[in-house]
Amino acid sequence: MEKVIIYTDGACSGNPGPGGWGAILMYKNNKKEISGGKKDTTNNVMELTAALEGLRLLKFPCEVDLYSDSAYLVNGFSQGWIYNWQKNNWKTSNKEPVKNKEIWEEIYKMTKIHKVKFIKVKGHSDNEYNNRCDELARNAIKNL
């Protein structure tokens, strides 16, 4: 399997409010930046969207290291939350409906195609790729 590295970030101006997302995909010597935005959304939706859009660009099954500063996204998989939600008919441990279920389901489908490792990075720190994704996300908000 080919190895791909994806960095993702989401941002919101107000929560909810206008939001943006950014992702950087790195494969061999290639680097691709993508971003987008939405007029009325939440920070978590943008974090999830960044990951989903990055994974959607992959043209064949890959081994992916996906870096995000979103504990929400990373823990959803690394702590196994998503598997419990599925077992419990998309209800949280408090019996509440899982927020952003549609995006979680799409990311989950991607993990069936690709071998994805979700890795937490510290946000707004010294990680150049995370900082660049943040910049892409914020620029996407400005361009709405």
Side-chain angles (χ1 to χ4, degrees):
M1 255 190 191
E2 296 287 348
K3 177 80 174 225
V4 176
I5 292 171
I6 303 178
Y7 276 86
T8 66
D9 198 20
C12 230
S13 184
N15 197 15
W21 58 268
I24 302 171
L25 289 84
M26 291 178 270
Y27 170 68
K28 294 184 176 166
N29 295 323
N30 302 312
K31 190 162 91 174
K32 182 174 179 76
E33 294 185 346
I34 58 171
S35 62
K38 210 172 166 189
K39 280 193 167 47
D40 188 29
T41 188
T42 66
N43 195 53
N44 281 341
V45 168
M46 292 294 94
E47 294 283 4
L48 294 175
T49 301
L52 178 58
E53 294 300 335
L55 291 167
R56 276 186 176 152
L57 274 189
L58 303 176
K59 292 174 174 59
F60 46 83
C62 298
E63 191 177 319
V64 181
D65 284 351
L66 192 146
Y67 294 88
S68 171
D69 62 12
S70 167
Y72 178 63
L73 168 66
V74 174
N75 292 345
F77 286 92
S78 64
Q79 306 282 320
W81 298 350
I82 191 158
Y83 310 110
N84 291 329
W85 295 337
Q86 287 172 318
K87 267 188 255 158
N88 299 327
N89 201 16
W90 290 95
K91 298 274 192 281
T92 65
S93 53
N94 316 336
K95 307 287 181 249
E96 295 290 315
V98 171
K99 288 188 173 100
N100 312 312
K101 173 186 170 211
E102 297 74 22
I103 313 174
W104 281 111
E105 285 179 315
E106 289 302 310
I107 296 171
Y108 179 74
K109 280 183 200 160
M110 292 291 163
T111 67
K112 294 287 151 223
I113 300 167
H114 310 286
K115 187 174 181 230
V116 185
K117 187 159 83 181
F118 292 88
I119 302 158
K120 175 89 171 70
V121 294
K122 194 172 191 298
H124 311 284
S125 182
D126 54 3
N127 186 305
E128 68 166 304
Y129 297 117
N130 181 257
N131 290 340
R132 177 62 185 145
C133 285
D134 183 59
E135 197 180 322
L136 290 169
R138 293 190 182 288
N139 288 340
I141 295 172
K142 286 180 198 142
N143 296 330
L144 283 174

